Amino acid sequence: MEDKYILEKEYSISADTFREAYRAYQKKYVYPKSYIFMTIFLVLSADFIYAAFKDNSNYFAYILIVLCLALAFREWYNPRRIRRSLVETVQEMGDPVYRIGVGDGFVDISTVSAPEGIEDEDGEEESSAEDDAPEPTRIPVDEKMKVLEYSEFFLLLYGKQVFYIVPKKGFTDKECEILRNIKK
């Protein structure tokens, strides 16, 4: 199946760009829910603190205060821990090369090559030949797709859980304009 692309380009993503892009994704989809739960747990802990002051012998209130504070801390900490872990993974991967293909009504994203020196389970270096490359992931341009532009990158979102990062570095103004207008 031969698809015609309006834009076809190879790129790589630096760890710094990944960090900023993932933070932007979290601000849009992770942090709002996290802040709501933190607020709920903090309000509950304040209520249990009031109950503990009212009746000093209510040991169950003390347990619930600690539990609510721990859950509020977890809601604050987990997104940061996950981002740090993912950025470390991206740094360890080196600089894989990706390809984006923008067509009429779809976007294809694929991995062109893994970084040099990645070994398989047997300790042998894996080949990075294009023959081994998987089929591109096709993202339909429909109501689920969003294109968000930031100063250093584009964030292509499909639903709330799938996102792709396309850095602006290496793209011409015309190519960036094509990415901006994917939904139009």
Side-chain angles (χ1 to χ4, degrees):
M1 172 171 89
E2 183 74 23
D3 291 314
K4 294 192 179 194
Y5 293 120
I6 301 166
L7 167 67
E8 188 172 16
K9 183 92 171 183
E10 292 183 358
Y11 63 92
S12 61
I13 302 169
S14 71
D16 289 337
T17 301
F18 181 86
R19 179 183 301 110
E20 292 308 311
Y22 193 69
R23 182 177 287 133
Y25 168 78
Q26 285 182 313
K27 282 181 182 179
K28 181 131 179 92
Y29 292 110
V30 177
Y31 286 161
K33 176 189 77 76
S34 188
Y35 291 150
I36 288 169
F37 279 111
M38 279 192 310
T39 303
I40 290 169
F41 291 133
L42 291 173
V43 167
L44 285 172
S45 67
D47 185 48
F48 294 130
I49 289 170
Y50 175 76
F53 277 126
K54 206 170 178 185
D55 180 9
N56 289 347
S57 65
N58 187 355
Y59 295 110
F60 189 61
Y62 294 112
I63 293 170
L64 291 175
I65 291 168
V66 171
L67 178 65
C68 286
L69 291 175
L71 291 172
F73 176 77
R74 187 191 71 171
E75 286 296 324
W76 174 84
Y77 180 71
N78 272 352
R80 287 150 183 84
R81 180 185 54 82
I82 291 168
R83 183 177 61 240
R84 185 176 56 246
S85 174
L86 287 173
V87 169
E88 287 172 2
T89 301
V90 167
Q91 287 172 329
E92 289 173 6
M93 285 175 45
D95 290 324
V97 177
Y98 302 98
R99 177 179 293 136
I100 185 168
V102 178
D104 188 26
F106 66 92
V107 176
D108 286 343
I109 300 203
S110 61
T111 303
V112 175
S113 67
E116 296 290 325
I118 294 195
E119 297 178 353
D120 63 13
E121 298 96 31
D122 301 329
E124 297 177 10
E125 246 184 59
E126 289 184 0
S127 128
S128 62
E130 283 193 40
D131 297 341
D132 298 338
E135 284 292 312
T137 300
R138 177 152 292 181
I139 309 162
V141 177
D142 59 17
E143 66 280 345
K144 287 184 175 182
M145 183 181 199
K146 292 181 184 173
V147 178
L148 303 177
E149 182 176 1
Y150 296 88
S151 62
E152 300 294 319
F153 57 88
F154 289 95
L155 202 54
L156 305 180
L157 303 162
Y158 193 73
K160 293 183 178 183
Q161 298 172 334
V162 178
F163 68 95
Y164 298 94
I165 303 162
V166 181
K168 289 182 177 179
K169 183 179 179 183
F171 283 77
T172 65
D173 289 340
K174 184 179 177 188
E175 291 168 335
C176 286
E177 193 61 33
I178 291 170
L179 290 169
R180 254 180 228 110
N181 294 317
I182 286 174
K183 291 279 293 185
K184 296 178 183 170

